[in-house]
Amino acid sequence: MIHRERVADDVYTFQSDVYAQVNAGAVIGQDWAVVIDTLAFPDETLAIREFIEEELKRKVRYVINTHYHADHSWGNCYFPGAYVLGHALCRDNLDKYGQKSLSRALETDNVFQKTQIVLPHLTLDSGVLELIVSDKTLRFVELPGHSIDGIGVYVVEDEVLFAGDVWMPIPHTVDGDPDIMRQSLRKIESMTIENVVQGHGEVILRGEVGSSINDRIAYLDMIEKIVEESSHDDFPGEFLKEKTVEICGKSRILLGGAAEEIHQQNLRHLYREKYNEDPNYLDS
Ligand SMILES: [Zn+2]
């Protein structure tokens, strides 16, 4: 069952119980509501909709995708009357890769049988866009780095930021860029924040914002250093494998146990990017 939390009046988060502690959110207006990200598994998405429609008696009018990845956008289709909003590059990427990865997922998991890829109807590129929901202003903030299309949603009156995956317990850079991620995190640091809803994991409170950003940036620094060191080894793949997530100061139980996998993906990806080849393993 999804875990629901109220972070401010009429502002909620919903955390997946089945996939990597991914978060969605909702802002509830007088007559209608906005959903921020959708989770991936239909049952969980439908539980969010049921809460908003049945318990709070509001229709979902807008769904915002912070980026195009499956765990944030595959639930779009379960809000059939809503307008979907995302970065123009979110629409491009979902258009390019969404159907392919859905078909791949369907080969092993028929839970997605009724899922359809719904592309954003409204897109933003640069400049300022605000969505007014009764007495709340949702301001869109470009936050690339985890992916090129990343946006955050800042609830101005409550100083709550839905950051998307640019902010996770362990940075994930495989589809992004560490430098751009650092810039986005520094940009968040300059904002006035009461709570940050990370793309995955626990809500960050005001007093933890600075240290949490420094922690993410320290991790990025460290994986870059490790990749650089690995290049001097005969078997960089083995070298990277030994540099576990714990060595990089992170617990392996983060993200529902996906931490080490994500960490190793980061290392291998960075290596490939930097040296234009796969890291060499003993058995290959
Ligand atoms: Zn993502």
Side-chain angles (χ1 to χ4, degrees):
M1 202 45 223
I2 51 170
H3 170 71
R4 186 176 78 230
E5 197 176 325
R6 200 189 67 99
V7 283
D9 281 343
D10 301 317
V11 181
Y12 294 89
T13 65
F14 308 89
Q15 185 170 96
S16 172
D17 193 32
V18 288
Y19 182 74
Q21 297 181 323
V22 58
N23 292 316
V27 179
I28 313 298
Q30 236 156 39
D31 305 311
W32 46 269
V34 177
V35 165
I36 301 162
D37 285 341
T38 66
L39 310 183
F41 286 89
D43 282 359
E44 294 196 323
T45 307
L46 289 168
I48 296 174
R49 191 175 99 188
E50 196 180 288
F51 170 69
I52 298 170
E53 288 189 354
E54 309 293 320
E55 246 176 88
L56 305 179
K57 312 275 184 219
R58 307 291 202 288
K59 274 270 176 211
V60 176
R61 185 176 284 183
Y62 294 97
V63 173
I64 298 164
N65 294 151
T66 60
H67 61 299
Y68 77 99
H69 291 163
D71 48 337
H72 300 261
S73 68
W74 279 13
N76 289 351
C77 61
Y78 296 102
F79 301 94
Y83 296 102
V84 179
L85 194 158
H87 196 282
L89 294 168
C90 171
R91 187 184 157 95
D92 288 353
N93 279 304
L94 199 53
D95 193 23
K96 217 165 160 183
Y97 305 114
Q99 192 52 53
K100 245 184 272 172
S101 50
L102 177 58
S103 303
R104 218 179 309 127
L106 271 168
E107 285 167 16
T108 55
D109 204 342
N110 61 15
V111 77
F112 296 113
Q113 224 145 31
K114 289 189 178 146
T115 295
Q116 286 175 339
I117 300 296
V118 174
L119 305 180
H121 308 99
L122 299 161
T123 62
L124 70 139
D125 195 337
S126 55
V128 180
L129 179 67
E130 293 183 340
L131 177 59
I132 313 299
V133 191
S134 297
D135 56 353
K136 297 190 195 276
T137 312
L138 275 50
R139 183 176 296 157
F140 297 85
V141 190
E142 282 188 88
L143 295 174
H146 165 77
S147 55
I148 198 170
D149 61 337
I151 56 170
V153 180
Y154 182 58
V155 186
V156 176
E157 291 75 10
D158 300 312
E159 299 174 344
V160 171
L161 175 70
F162 289 87
D165 282 0
V166 79
W167 194 323
M168 287 171 56
I170 297 176
H172 193 214
T173 61
V174 168
D175 192 23
D177 180 296
D179 279 334
I180 298 173
M181 186 178 281
R182 283 189 192 90
Q183 286 165 23
S184 287
L185 289 168
R186 290 298 180 209
K187 182 173 175 180
I188 297 172
E189 201 174 23
S190 70
M191 299 168 65
T192 310
I193 303 259
E194 187 61 35
N195 295 119
V196 176
V197 182
Q198 312 183 80
H200 298 247
E202 304 312 312
V203 173
I204 306 282
L205 309 175
R206 182 170 53 183
E208 308 162 342
V209 168
S211 61
S212 177
I213 287 177
N214 289 338
D215 169 89
R216 293 346 180 232
I217 290 175
Y219 172 83
L220 294 173
D221 295 346
M222 192 176 276
I223 57 174
E224 285 185 328
K225 190 167 151 254
I226 287 171
V227 166
E228 151 71 28
E229 284 168 6
S230 77
S231 70
H232 306 300
D233 199 280
D234 286 342
F235 299 101
E238 301 298 326
F239 184 95
L240 296 177
K241 253 201 271 181
E242 283 165 16
K243 301 295 183 234
T244 63
V245 71
E246 273 130 348
I247 287 176
C248 295
K250 297 281 185 189
S251 160
R252 63 175 55 237
I253 66 163
L254 289 170
L255 296 170
E260 181 65 25
E261 174 59 24
I262 282 178
H263 169 66
Q264 288 295 329
Q265 285 174 11
N266 284 338
L267 292 178
R268 287 194 298 270
H269 176 76
L270 272 182
Y271 186 95
R272 276 198 299 271
E273 287 280 289
K274 193 160 179 204
Y275 302 108
N276 232 341
E277 60 181 18
D278 282 324
N280 189 10
Y281 291 88
L282 273 174
D283 54 349
S284 60

